[in-house]
Coordinates of all heavy atoms in Angstrom, one line a residue:
M1 N 12.3 44.6 -8.0 CA 12.9 43.5 -8.7 C 13.5 43.9 -10.0 O 12.9 44.8 -10.7 CB 11.7 42.6 -9.0 CG 11.2 41.9 -7.7 SD 11.2 40.1 -7.9 CE 9.9 39.5 -8.0
T2 N 14.3 43.2 -10.3 CA 15.0 43.4 -11.7 C 14.6 42.3 -12.7 O 14.9 41.1 -12.5 CB 16.5 43.5 -11.7 OG1 17.0 42.4 -11.1 CG2 16.9 44.9 -10.9
P3 N 13.8 42.6 -13.9 CA 13.4 41.7 -14.6 C 14.5 40.8 -15.3 O 14.3 39.5 -15.6 CB 12.7 42.4 -15.9 CG 12.6 43.8 -15.3 CD 13.5 43.9 -14.2
E4 N 15.7 41.2 -15.4 CA 16.7 40.4 -16.1 C 17.3 39.3 -15.1 O 17.9 38.4 -15.5 CB 17.9 41.4 -16.6 CG 18.7 42.0 -15.5 CD 18.1 43.3 -15.0 OE1 17.0 43.8 -15.6 OE2 18.6 44.1 -14.2
R5 N 16.9 39.5 -13.9 CA 17.3 38.5 -12.9 C 16.3 37.4 -12.5 O 16.4 36.5 -11.7 CB 17.7 39.1 -11.6 CG 18.9 40.1 -11.8 CD 19.6 40.5 -10.7 NE 20.5 39.3 -10.2 CZ 21.1 39.4 -9.1 NH1 20.9 40.3 -8.2 NH2 21.8 38.3 -8.8
E6 N 15.0 37.6 -13.1 CA 13.9 36.6 -12.9 C 14.1 35.4 -13.8 O 14.4 35.5 -15.0 CB 12.5 37.3 -13.2 CG 12.1 38.4 -12.1 CD 10.8 39.0 -12.5 OE1 10.1 38.5 -13.3 OE2 10.7 40.1 -11.9
I7 N 13.7 34.3 -13.3 CA 13.6 33.1 -14.2 C 12.3 32.5 -13.9 O 11.5 32.6 -12.9 CB 14.7 32.1 -13.7 CG1 14.6 31.7 -12.2 CG2 16.1 32.6 -13.9 CD1 15.4 30.5 -11.8
D8 N 11.8 31.8 -15.0 CA 10.6 31.1 -15.0 C 10.7 29.8 -14.2 O 11.8 29.0 -14.5 CB 10.0 31.0 -16.4 CG 9.5 32.1 -17.0 OD1 9.0 33.0 -16.3 OD2 9.5 32.3 -18.2
V9 N 9.8 29.4 -13.4 CA 9.9 28.2 -12.7 C 8.6 27.4 -12.9 O 7.5 28.0 -12.9 CB 10.2 28.4 -11.1 CG1 10.1 27.1 -10.4 CG2 11.4 29.1 -11.0
E10 N 8.7 26.1 -13.1 CA 7.5 25.3 -13.3 C 7.6 24.2 -12.2 O 8.6 23.5 -12.0 CB 7.4 24.6 -14.6 CG 6.9 25.6 -15.6 CD 6.6 24.7 -16.9 OE1 6.2 23.6 -16.9 OE2 6.9 25.4 -18.1
W11 N 6.5 24.0 -11.5 CA 6.6 22.8 -10.5 C 5.9 21.6 -11.2 O 4.9 21.6 -11.8 CB 5.6 23.2 -9.3 CG 6.2 24.4 -8.5 CD1 5.8 25.7 -8.7 CD2 7.2 24.4 -7.7 NE1 6.6 26.6 -7.9 CE2 7.5 25.8 -7.3 CE3 8.2 23.4 -7.3 CZ2 8.5 26.1 -6.4 CZ3 9.3 23.8 -6.4 CH2 9.4 25.1 -5.9
S12 N 6.6 20.5 -10.9 CA 6.1 19.2 -11.5 C 4.8 18.8 -10.7 O 4.9 18.6 -9.6 CB 7.1 18.2 -11.5 OG 6.5 16.9 -11.8
K13 N 3.8 18.5 -11.6 CA 2.6 18.1 -10.9 C 2.6 16.6 -10.5 O 1.8 16.0 -9.9 CB 1.4 18.4 -11.8 CG 1.1 19.9 -11.9 CD -0.1 20.1 -12.8 CE -0.5 21.6 -12.8 NZ -0.1 22.2 -14.1
E14 N 3.6 15.9 -11.1 CA 3.7 14.4 -11.0 C 4.4 14.1 -9.7 O 4.3 12.9 -9.1 CB 4.5 13.9 -12.1 CG 3.7 13.9 -13.4 CD 4.5 13.4 -14.6 OE1 5.4 12.5 -14.4 OE2 4.2 13.6 -15.7
V15 N 5.2 15.0 -9.1 CA 5.9 14.7 -7.9 C 4.8 15.0 -6.6 O 4.3 15.9 -6.5 CB 7.0 15.6 -7.5 CG1 7.6 15.5 -6.2 CG2 8.1 15.4 -8.7
Q16 N 4.6 13.9 -6.1 CA 3.6 13.8 -5.0 C 4.1 13.2 -3.7 O 4.7 12.2 -3.9 CB 2.4 13.2 -5.4 CG 1.1 13.4 -4.4 CD -0.2 13.0 -5.3 OE1 -0.3 12.7 -6.3 NE2 -1.3 13.2 -4.5
E17 N 3.9 13.8 -2.7 CA 4.5 13.1 -1.4 C 3.6 11.9 -1.1 O 2.5 11.8 -1.2 CB 4.4 14.0 -0.2 CG 5.2 13.6 0.9 CD 5.3 14.8 2.0 OE1 5.0 15.9 1.7 OE2 5.7 14.3 3.1
T18 N 4.3 10.8 -0.6 CA 3.6 9.5 -0.2 C 4.0 9.2 1.2 O 5.0 9.7 1.7 CB 4.0 8.3 -1.1 OG1 5.5 8.1 -1.1 CG2 3.5 8.6 -2.6
Y19 N 3.2 8.4 1.8 CA 3.5 8.0 3.2 C 3.6 6.4 3.3 O 2.9 5.7 2.6 CB 2.3 8.4 4.1 CG 2.1 9.9 4.0 CD1 1.2 10.5 3.0 CD2 2.9 10.8 4.8 CE1 1.0 11.8 2.9 CE2 2.7 12.2 4.6 CZ 1.7 12.7 3.6 OH 1.6 14.0 3.5
S20 N 4.6 6.1 4.0 CA 4.8 4.6 4.3 C 3.9 4.1 5.3 O 3.8 4.7 6.5 CB 6.3 4.5 4.8 OG 6.5 3.1 5.0
V21 N 3.2 3.0 5.0 CA 2.2 2.5 5.9 C 2.3 1.0 6.0 O 2.6 0.4 4.9 CB 0.7 2.8 5.4 CG1 -0.3 2.1 6.3 CG2 0.5 4.3 5.3
K22 N 2.2 0.5 7.2 CA 2.3 -1.1 7.4 C 0.9 -1.6 7.5 O 0.1 -1.2 8.3 CB 3.2 -1.4 8.6 CG 4.6 -1.0 8.4 CD 5.5 -1.4 9.6 CE 6.9 -0.8 9.3 NZ 7.7 -1.3 10.4
I23 N 0.8 -2.8 6.7 CA -0.6 -3.4 6.9 C -0.3 -4.9 7.1 O 0.7 -5.5 6.7 CB -1.5 -3.2 5.5 CG1 -0.8 -3.8 4.4 CG2 -1.8 -1.8 5.5 CD1 -1.7 -3.7 3.2
R24 N -1.4 -5.5 7.8 CA -1.3 -7.0 8.0 C -2.6 -7.6 7.4 O -3.7 -7.1 7.5 CB -1.3 -7.3 9.3 CG -1.2 -8.8 9.8 CD -1.3 -9.1 11.1 NE -2.6 -8.9 11.7 CZ -2.9 -8.5 12.9 NH1 -1.9 -8.3 13.8 NH2 -4.1 -8.3 13.2
V25 N -2.4 -8.6 6.6 CA -3.5 -9.5 5.9 C -3.6 -10.9 6.4 O -2.5 -11.6 6.4 CB -3.3 -9.3 4.4 CG1 -4.5 -10.0 3.7 CG2 -3.1 -7.9 3.8
Q26 N -4.7 -11.2 7.0 CA -4.9 -12.6 7.4 C -5.7 -13.4 6.2 O -6.8 -12.8 5.9 CB -5.6 -12.7 8.7 CG -4.9 -12.1 9.7 CD -4.1 -13.2 10.6 OE1 -2.9 -12.9 10.9 NE2 -4.7 -14.3 11.0
S27 N -5.3 -14.5 5.8 CA -5.9 -15.2 4.7 C -5.9 -16.7 4.9 O -5.0 -17.2 5.6 CB -5.3 -14.9 3.3 OG -4.9 -13.5 3.2
L28 N -6.6 -17.5 4.2 CA -6.5 -18.8 4.0 C -5.6 -19.2 2.9 O -5.6 -18.4 1.8 CB -7.9 -19.5 3.7 CG -9.0 -19.5 4.8 CD1 -10.2 -20.0 4.3 CD2 -8.6 -20.1 6.0
D29 N -4.7 -20.0 3.1 CA -3.7 -20.3 2.1 C -4.2 -20.9 0.8 O -5.2 -21.8 0.8 CB -2.6 -21.3 2.6 CG -1.3 -21.4 1.8 OD1 -1.1 -20.4 1.0 OD2 -0.7 -22.4 2.0
R30 N -3.8 -20.4 -0.3 CA -4.1 -20.9 -1.6 C -3.1 -20.6 -2.6 O -2.3 -19.6 -2.4 CB -5.5 -20.6 -2.0 CG -5.7 -19.0 -2.3 CD -7.0 -18.6 -2.9 NE -7.2 -17.1 -3.0 CZ -6.6 -16.5 -3.9 NH1 -5.9 -17.0 -4.9 NH2 -6.8 -15.1 -4.0
V31 N -3.1 -21.3 -3.7 CA -2.2 -21.0 -4.9 C -2.5 -19.6 -5.4 O -3.7 -19.4 -5.7 CB -2.2 -22.1 -5.9 CG1 -1.4 -21.6 -7.2 CG2 -1.8 -23.5 -5.4
G32 N -1.6 -18.9 -5.7 CA -1.8 -17.5 -6.2 C -2.1 -16.4 -5.2 O -2.4 -15.3 -5.7
L33 N -2.3 -16.7 -3.9 CA -2.7 -15.7 -3.0 C -1.8 -14.5 -3.0 O -2.2 -13.3 -3.1 CB -2.8 -16.2 -1.6 CG -3.0 -15.2 -0.4 CD1 -4.4 -14.6 -0.7 CD2 -3.0 -16.0 0.8
L34 N -0.4 -14.6 -2.9 CA 0.5 -13.6 -2.8 C 0.5 -12.8 -4.0 O 0.5 -11.5 -4.0 CB 1.9 -14.1 -2.5 CG 3.0 -13.0 -2.4 CD1 2.7 -12.1 -1.2 CD2 4.3 -13.7 -2.2
A35 N 0.3 -13.4 -5.2 CA 0.2 -12.8 -6.5 C -1.0 -11.7 -6.5 O -1.0 -10.7 -7.1 CB 0.3 -13.7 -7.7
D36 N -2.2 -12.4 -6.0 CA -3.4 -11.6 -6.0 C -3.2 -10.4 -5.1 O -3.8 -9.3 -5.5 CB -4.5 -12.4 -5.6 CG -5.1 -13.5 -6.7 OD1 -4.5 -13.3 -7.8 OD2 -5.8 -14.3 -6.4
L37 N -2.6 -10.5 -4.0 CA -2.4 -9.5 -3.0 C -1.6 -8.4 -3.7 O -1.9 -7.2 -3.6 CB -1.9 -9.9 -1.8 CG -2.6 -10.9 -0.8 CD1 -1.8 -11.5 0.3 CD2 -3.9 -10.1 -0.3
A38 N -0.4 -8.8 -4.3 CA 0.5 -7.8 -4.8 C -0.2 -7.1 -6.1 O 0.1 -5.8 -6.1 CB 1.8 -8.5 -5.3
S39 N -1.0 -7.8 -6.9 CA -1.5 -7.2 -8.0 C -2.6 -6.1 -7.5 O -2.8 -5.1 -8.2 CB -1.9 -8.1 -9.1 OG -3.1 -8.7 -8.7
N40 N -3.2 -6.6 -6.5 CA -4.3 -5.7 -6.2 C -3.7 -4.3 -5.6 O -4.3 -3.3 -5.8 CB -5.1 -6.5 -5.0 CG -6.5 -5.8 -4.7 OD1 -6.4 -4.7 -3.8 ND2 -7.5 -6.2 -5.2
I41 N -2.7 -4.5 -4.8 CA -2.1 -3.2 -4.3 C -1.5 -2.4 -5.4 O -1.8 -1.2 -5.4 CB -0.9 -3.7 -3.2 CG1 -1.6 -4.4 -2.0 CG2 0.0 -2.4 -2.9 CD1 -0.5 -5.1 -1.1
S42 N -0.9 -3.1 -6.3 CA -0.3 -2.2 -7.5 C -1.5 -1.6 -8.3 O -1.3 -0.5 -8.7 CB 0.4 -3.3 -8.4 OG 1.6 -3.7 -7.7
K43 N -2.5 -2.3 -8.5 CA -3.6 -1.6 -9.4 C -4.3 -0.6 -8.7 O -4.9 0.3 -9.4 CB -4.7 -2.8 -9.8 CG -5.8 -3.0 -8.9 CD -6.9 -3.7 -9.4 CE -7.9 -3.8 -8.4 NZ -9.1 -4.5 -8.2
N44 N -4.1 -0.4 -7.5 CA -4.6 0.8 -6.7 C -3.6 1.8 -6.6 O -3.7 2.8 -5.8 CB -5.0 0.3 -5.3 CG -6.5 -0.2 -5.2 OD1 -7.4 0.6 -5.4 ND2 -6.6 -1.5 -5.2
A45 N -2.5 1.7 -7.4 CA -1.5 2.7 -7.4 C -0.7 2.9 -6.2 O -0.2 4.0 -5.8 CB -2.1 4.0 -8.0
A46 N -0.6 1.9 -5.4 CA 0.2 1.9 -4.2 C 1.5 1.1 -4.4 O 1.5 0.1 -4.9 CB -0.5 1.3 -3.0
N47 N 2.6 1.6 -4.0 CA 3.9 0.9 -4.2 C 4.2 0.0 -3.0 O 4.0 0.4 -1.9 CB 5.0 2.0 -4.4 CG 6.3 1.2 -4.9 OD1 6.3 0.3 -5.5 ND2 7.4 1.8 -4.5
I48 N 4.7 -1.3 -3.3 CA 4.9 -2.1 -2.1 C 6.5 -1.9 -1.9 O 7.4 -2.1 -2.8 CB 4.9 -3.7 -2.7 CG1 3.3 -3.9 -2.9 CG2 5.2 -4.6 -1.5 CD1 3.0 -5.2 -3.6
L49 N 6.8 -1.5 -0.7 CA 8.1 -1.2 -0.3 C 8.8 -2.5 0.3 O 10.0 -2.8 0.2 CB 8.1 -0.1 0.8 CG 7.6 1.3 0.3 CD1 7.4 2.2 1.4 CD2 8.3 1.8 -0.9
S50 N 7.9 -3.3 1.0 CA 8.4 -4.7 1.6 C 7.2 -5.6 1.8 O 6.1 -5.1 1.9 CB 9.1 -4.4 2.8 OG 8.2 -4.1 3.9
A51 N 7.5 -6.9 1.6 CA 6.5 -7.8 1.9 C 7.1 -9.0 2.6 O 8.2 -9.4 2.3 CB 6.0 -8.3 0.5
R52 N 6.3 -9.6 3.5 CA 6.7 -10.9 4.2 C 5.5 -11.7 4.5 O 4.4 -11.1 4.8 CB 7.5 -10.4 5.5 CG 7.9 -11.5 6.4 CD 8.8 -11.0 7.5 NE 8.1 -10.1 8.4 CZ 7.4 -10.6 9.5 NH1 7.3 -11.9 9.9 NH2 6.8 -9.7 10.3
T53 N 5.6 -13.0 4.2 CA 4.4 -13.8 4.6 C 4.8 -14.9 5.5 O 6.0 -15.4 5.5 CB 3.8 -14.3 3.4 OG1 4.7 -15.3 2.8 CG2 3.4 -13.3 2.4
E54 N 3.9 -15.5 6.4 CA 4.2 -16.5 7.3 C 3.0 -17.5 7.1 O 1.7 -17.0 7.2 CB 4.3 -16.2 8.7 CG 5.4 -15.1 8.9 CD 5.3 -14.5 10.3 OE1 4.4 -14.7 11.0 OE2 6.3 -13.8 10.8
T55 N 3.2 -18.8 6.8 CA 2.1 -19.8 6.7 C 2.1 -20.7 7.8 O 3.1 -21.3 8.1 CB 2.1 -20.5 5.4 OG1 2.3 -19.5 4.3 CG2 0.9 -21.4 5.2
R56 N 1.0 -20.8 8.6 CA 1.0 -21.7 9.8 C 0.5 -23.0 9.3 O 0.1 -23.2 8.3 CB 0.0 -21.1 10.8 CG 0.4 -19.8 11.3 CD -0.6 -19.2 12.5 NE -1.9 -19.7 12.4 CZ -3.0 -19.0 12.9 NH1 -2.7 -17.8 13.3 NH2 -4.3 -19.3 12.8
E57 N 0.7 -24.0 10.2 CA 0.2 -25.4 9.9 C -1.3 -25.6 9.7 O -1.6 -26.4 8.9 CB 0.6 -26.3 11.1 CG 2.1 -26.6 11.2 CD 2.4 -27.6 12.2 OE1 1.5 -28.6 12.6 OE2 3.5 -27.6 12.9
D58 N -2.0 -24.6 10.2 CA -3.4 -24.7 9.9 C -3.9 -24.0 8.7 O -5.0 -23.6 8.4 CB -4.3 -24.2 11.2 CG -4.0 -22.7 11.4 OD1 -3.1 -22.0 10.7 OD2 -4.5 -22.1 12.3
K59 N -2.9 -23.6 7.8 CA -3.1 -23.0 6.5 C -3.6 -21.6 6.6 O -4.2 -21.1 5.6 CB -4.1 -23.8 5.6 CG -3.6 -25.3 5.3 CD -2.4 -25.2 4.5 CE -2.0 -26.8 4.3 NZ -0.7 -26.9 3.9
I60 N -3.3 -21.0 7.7 CA -3.6 -19.4 7.8 C -2.3 -18.7 7.4 O -1.3 -19.0 8.0 CB -4.1 -19.1 9.2 CG1 -5.4 -19.8 9.6 CG2 -4.2 -17.6 9.4 CD1 -6.6 -19.4 8.8
V61 N -2.5 -17.7 6.5 CA -1.3 -17.0 6.1 C -1.5 -15.6 6.6 O -2.5 -15.0 6.5 CB -1.3 -17.0 4.5 CG1 -0.1 -16.1 4.1 CG2 -1.3 -18.3 3.9
T62 N -0.3 -15.1 7.3 CA -0.3 -13.8 7.7 C 0.7 -13.1 6.8 O 1.9 -13.4 6.8 CB 0.2 -13.6 9.1 OG1 -0.8 -14.4 10.0 CG2 0.1 -12.2 9.6
S63 N 0.3 -12.1 6.1 CA 1.1 -11.3 5.1 C 1.3 -9.8 5.8 O 0.4 -9.2 6.2 CB 0.4 -11.2 3.7 OG 0.2 -12.5 3.3
F64 N 2.5 -9.4 5.7 CA 2.9 -8.1 6.2 C 3.3 -7.3 5.0 O 4.2 -7.7 4.3 CB 3.9 -8.1 7.3 CG 3.5 -8.8 8.4 CD1 3.8 -10.2 8.6 CD2 2.8 -8.1 9.5 CE1 3.3 -10.8 9.7 CE2 2.3 -8.9 10.7 CZ 2.7 -10.2 10.7
F65 N 2.8 -6.1 4.8 CA 3.2 -5.3 3.7 C 3.5 -3.9 4.2 O 2.9 -3.4 5.0 CB 2.2 -5.1 2.5 CG 1.8 -6.4 1.8 CD1 0.8 -7.2 2.2 CD2 2.6 -6.8 0.7 CE1 0.5 -8.4 1.5 CE2 2.3 -8.0 0.0 CZ 1.3 -8.7 0.4
T66 N 4.7 -3.3 3.7 CA 4.9 -1.8 3.9 C 4.5 -1.3 2.5 O 5.2 -1.7 1.5 CB 6.2 -1.5 4.3 OG1 6.4 -2.2 5.6 CG2 6.4 0.0 4.6
I67 N 3.5 -0.3 2.5 CA 3.1 0.3 1.1 C 3.2 1.8 1.2 O 3.3 2.4 2.4 CB 1.7 -0.3 0.7 CG1 0.8 0.3 1.8 CG2 1.7 -1.7 0.5 CD1 -0.7 -0.1 1.3
S68 N 3.4 2.4 0.2 CA 3.3 3.8 0.1 C 2.0 4.3 -0.5 O 1.7 3.9 -1.6 CB 4.6 4.4 -0.7 OG 4.5 4.1 -2.1
V69 N 1.4 5.2 0.2 CA 0.1 5.7 -0.2 C 0.2 7.3 -0.2 O 1.1 7.9 0.5 CB -1.0 5.2 0.7 CG1 -1.2 3.7 0.5 CG2 -0.9 5.6 2.1
E70 N -0.8 7.9 -0.8 CA -0.8 9.3 -0.9 C -1.5 9.9 0.3 O -1.1 11.1 0.8 CB -1.6 9.8 -2.2 CG -1.0 9.4 -3.4 CD -1.9 9.5 -4.6 OE1 -3.0 10.1 -4.6 OE2 -1.3 9.1 -5.7
N71 N -2.6 9.2 0.8 CA -3.3 9.9 2.0 C -4.1 8.6 2.6 O -4.1 7.6 2.2 CB -4.1 11.1 1.6 CG -5.0 10.8 0.4 OD1 -5.6 9.8 0.3 ND2 -5.1 11.7 -0.5
T72 N -5.0 9.1 3.6 CA -5.7 8.0 4.2 C -6.8 7.6 3.3 O -7.2 6.4 3.4 CB -6.4 8.6 5.5 OG1 -7.1 9.9 5.3 CG2 -5.3 8.8 6.7
G73 N -7.4 8.5 2.5 CA -8.4 8.0 1.6 C -7.8 6.9 0.6 O -8.5 6.0 0.3
H74 N -6.6 7.2 0.1 CA -6.0 6.1 -0.7 C -5.7 4.8 0.0 O -6.0 3.8 -0.5 CB -4.6 6.8 -1.2 CG -3.9 5.9 -2.1 ND1 -2.5 6.0 -2.4 CD2 -4.2 5.1 -3.0 CE1 -2.2 5.2 -3.4 NE2 -3.2 4.5 -3.7
L75 N -5.3 4.9 1.3 CA -5.1 3.8 2.1 C -6.4 2.9 2.3 O -6.5 1.7 2.1 CB -4.7 4.0 3.5 CG -4.4 2.9 4.4 CD1 -3.5 1.8 3.9 CD2 -4.0 3.5 5.8
E76 N -7.5 3.8 2.6 CA -8.7 3.1 2.7 C -9.3 2.3 1.4 O -9.8 1.2 1.5 CB -9.9 4.0 3.0 CG -9.7 4.7 4.5 CD -9.6 3.6 5.6 OE1 -10.6 2.5 5.5 OE2 -8.8 3.5 6.5
R77 N -9.0 2.9 0.3 CA -9.4 2.2 -0.9 C -8.6 1.0 -1.1 O -9.1 -0.1 -1.6 CB -9.1 3.1 -2.2 CG -10.1 4.3 -2.2 CD -10.1 5.0 -3.7 NE -8.7 5.6 -3.8 CZ -8.3 6.7 -3.5 NH1 -9.1 7.4 -2.6 NH2 -7.1 7.2 -3.8
V78 N -7.2 1.0 -0.8 CA -6.3 -0.2 -1.0 C -6.9 -1.3 0.0 O -7.1 -2.5 -0.4 CB -4.9 0.1 -0.7 CG1 -4.1 -1.1 -0.6 CG2 -4.4 1.0 -1.7
L79 N -7.2 -1.0 1.2 CA -7.7 -1.9 2.2 C -8.9 -2.5 1.9 O -9.2 -3.6 2.0 CB -7.7 -1.4 3.6 CG -6.3 -0.8 4.3 CD1 -6.6 -0.2 5.6 CD2 -5.3 -1.9 4.3
S80 N -9.9 -1.7 1.3 CA -11.1 -2.2 1.0 C -11.1 -3.1 -0.2 O -11.7 -4.2 -0.3 CB -12.0 -0.8 0.5 OG -13.3 -1.3 0.0
D81 N -10.2 -2.9 -1.2 CA -10.1 -3.7 -2.3 C -9.5 -5.0 -1.9 O -9.8 -6.1 -2.4 CB -9.3 -3.1 -3.5 CG -10.1 -2.5 -4.5 OD1 -11.4 -2.3 -4.2 OD2 -9.7 -2.1 -5.5
I82 N -8.5 -5.0 -1.0 CA -7.9 -6.2 -0.6 C -8.9 -7.2 0.2 O -8.8 -8.4 0.1 CB -6.6 -5.9 0.5 CG1 -5.5 -5.3 -0.4 CG2 -6.2 -7.1 1.1 CD1 -4.4 -4.7 0.5
K83 N -9.7 -6.6 0.9 CA -10.8 -7.3 1.7 C -11.7 -8.2 0.7 O -12.3 -9.2 1.0 CB -11.8 -6.4 2.4 CG -11.1 -5.8 3.6 CD -12.0 -4.9 4.4 CE -11.2 -4.2 5.6 NZ -11.9 -3.1 6.1
K84 N -11.7 -7.7 -0.6 CA -12.6 -8.4 -1.6 C -11.9 -9.6 -2.3 O -12.6 -10.4 -3.0 CB -13.0 -7.5 -2.7 CG -13.8 -6.2 -2.1 CD -14.1 -5.2 -3.3 CE -14.8 -4.0 -2.8 NZ -14.8 -2.9 -3.6
I85 N -10.6 -9.8 -2.0 CA -9.9 -10.8 -2.6 C -10.3 -12.2 -1.9 O -10.6 -12.4 -0.8 CB -8.4 -10.7 -2.4 CG1 -7.9 -9.4 -3.1 CG2 -7.6 -12.0 -2.8 CD1 -6.5 -9.1 -2.8
K86 N -10.5 -13.2 -2.8 CA -10.9 -14.5 -2.3 C -9.9 -15.0 -1.2 O -8.6 -14.9 -1.5 CB -10.8 -15.5 -3.5 CG -11.3 -16.9 -3.1 CD -11.1 -17.8 -4.4 CE -11.3 -19.3 -4.0 NZ -10.8 -20.1 -5.1
S87 N -10.5 -15.5 -0.2 CA -9.6 -16.2 1.0 C -9.1 -15.2 2.1 O -8.8 -15.6 3.1 CB -8.4 -17.0 0.5 OG -8.8 -18.0 -0.5
V88 N -9.2 -13.8 1.8 CA -8.7 -12.9 2.7 C -9.8 -12.7 3.9 O -11.1 -12.7 3.6 CB -8.7 -11.5 2.1 CG1 -8.3 -10.5 3.1 CG2 -7.5 -11.6 1.1
Q89 N -9.3 -12.9 5.1 CA -10.2 -12.7 6.3 C -10.2 -11.4 6.9 O -11.2 -11.0 7.5 CB -9.8 -13.9 7.2 CG -10.0 -15.4 6.7 CD -9.5 -16.4 7.5 OE1 -8.5 -16.2 8.3 NE2 -10.2 -17.5 7.6
E90 N -9.0 -10.9 7.0 CA -8.9 -9.6 7.7 C -7.8 -8.8 7.1 O -6.7 -9.3 6.7 CB -8.7 -9.9 9.3 CG -8.4 -8.7 10.0 CD -8.0 -8.9 11.5 OE1 -7.0 -9.6 11.7 OE2 -8.6 -8.3 12.4
V91 N -8.0 -7.5 7.0 CA -6.9 -6.6 6.7 C -6.9 -5.4 7.6 O -8.0 -4.8 7.9 CB -7.3 -6.0 5.3 CG1 -6.0 -5.1 4.7 CG2 -7.5 -7.1 4.2
K92 N -5.8 -5.0 8.1 CA -5.7 -3.9 9.0 C -4.3 -3.2 9.0 O -3.4 -3.8 8.7 CB -6.1 -4.2 10.4 CG -5.2 -5.1 11.1 CD -5.7 -5.6 12.4 CE -5.8 -4.5 13.4 NZ -6.1 -5.1 14.8
R93 N -4.4 -1.9 9.3 CA -3.1 -1.1 9.3 C -2.6 -1.4 10.8 O -3.2 -1.6 11.7 CB -3.4 0.4 9.4 CG -2.3 1.3 9.4 CD -2.6 2.7 9.3 NE -1.5 3.4 9.3 CZ -1.5 4.8 9.2 NH1 -2.6 5.5 8.9 NH2 -0.3 5.5 9.3
I94 N -1.1 -1.6 10.8 CA -0.5 -1.9 12.1 C 0.5 -0.7 12.3 O 0.9 -0.1 11.3 CB 0.1 -3.3 12.0 CG1 1.0 -3.4 10.8 CG2 -0.9 -4.3 12.1 CD1 1.7 -4.8 10.9
D95 N 1.0 -0.7 13.4 CA 2.0 0.5 13.8 C 3.4 0.0 14.0 O 4.3 0.8 14.0 CB 1.5 1.1 15.2 CG 0.2 1.8 15.0 OD1 -0.1 2.3 14.0 OD2 -0.5 1.7 15.9
H96 N 3.6 -1.4 13.8 CA 5.0 -1.8 14.2 C 5.4 -2.6 13.0 O 4.7 -3.0 11.9 CB 5.1 -2.6 15.3 CG 4.2 -3.7 15.4 ND1 2.9 -3.6 15.6 CD2 4.4 -5.1 15.6 CE1 2.2 -4.8 15.6 NE2 3.1 -5.7 15.7

């Protein structure tokens, strides 16, 4: 190797690969539900890539989110915290 041709390289520790995951949340409808879901996902450092909600006549809300997470442990923390939100009945990862 020739020292004059070497360059110093630094890798950014902030660049981290994330994975896109789809989740479904079943809840009872209430004012502020979507805001609580979104802020909970954000406070867990997961990015919301897309969101869609459907409210049925019986006041059951199905929310679909595509979020980016670092790994399965990160996903489990996000899902666990969402389950603690008032009115949430079920949270699960979906494939479609």
Side-chain angles (χ1 to χ4, degrees):
M1 287 228 260
T2 52
E4 66 274 2
R5 300 195 79 191
E6 290 181 15
I7 58 171
D8 288 329
V9 176
E10 281 188 40
W11 298 103
S12 172
K13 292 181 174 113
E14 293 180 18
V15 176
Q16 189 163 2
E17 192 167 349
T18 59
Y19 305 91
S20 175
V21 178
K22 295 180 183 188
I23 61 172
R24 182 182 70 212
V25 182
Q26 294 269 131
S27 316
L28 295 174
D29 193 20
R30 66 172 173 82
V31 173
L33 174 65
L34 184 58
D36 287 350
L37 291 170
S39 78
N40 192 283
I41 292 168
S42 295
K43 88 168 184 192
N44 276 287
N47 190 33
I48 299 172
L49 303 174
S50 71
R52 180 172 60 94
T53 65
E54 300 169 356
T55 306
R56 300 187 323 217
E57 283 184 33
D58 63 359
K59 302 295 184 196
I60 298 293
V61 179
T62 304
S63 303
F64 299 92
F65 293 95
T66 302
I67 61 175
S68 62
V69 294
E70 296 167 8
N71 52 43
T72 55
H74 186 200
L75 174 62
E76 290 304 318
R77 287 192 303 278
V78 172
L79 297 181
S80 177
D81 267 10
I82 291 173
K83 288 176 187 170
K84 297 174 187 171
I85 296 173
K86 179 184 168 196
S87 303
V88 169
Q89 298 175 323
E90 180 188 48
V91 184
K92 67 187 290 185
R93 180 180 183 174
I94 57 174
D95 295 326
H96 55 298

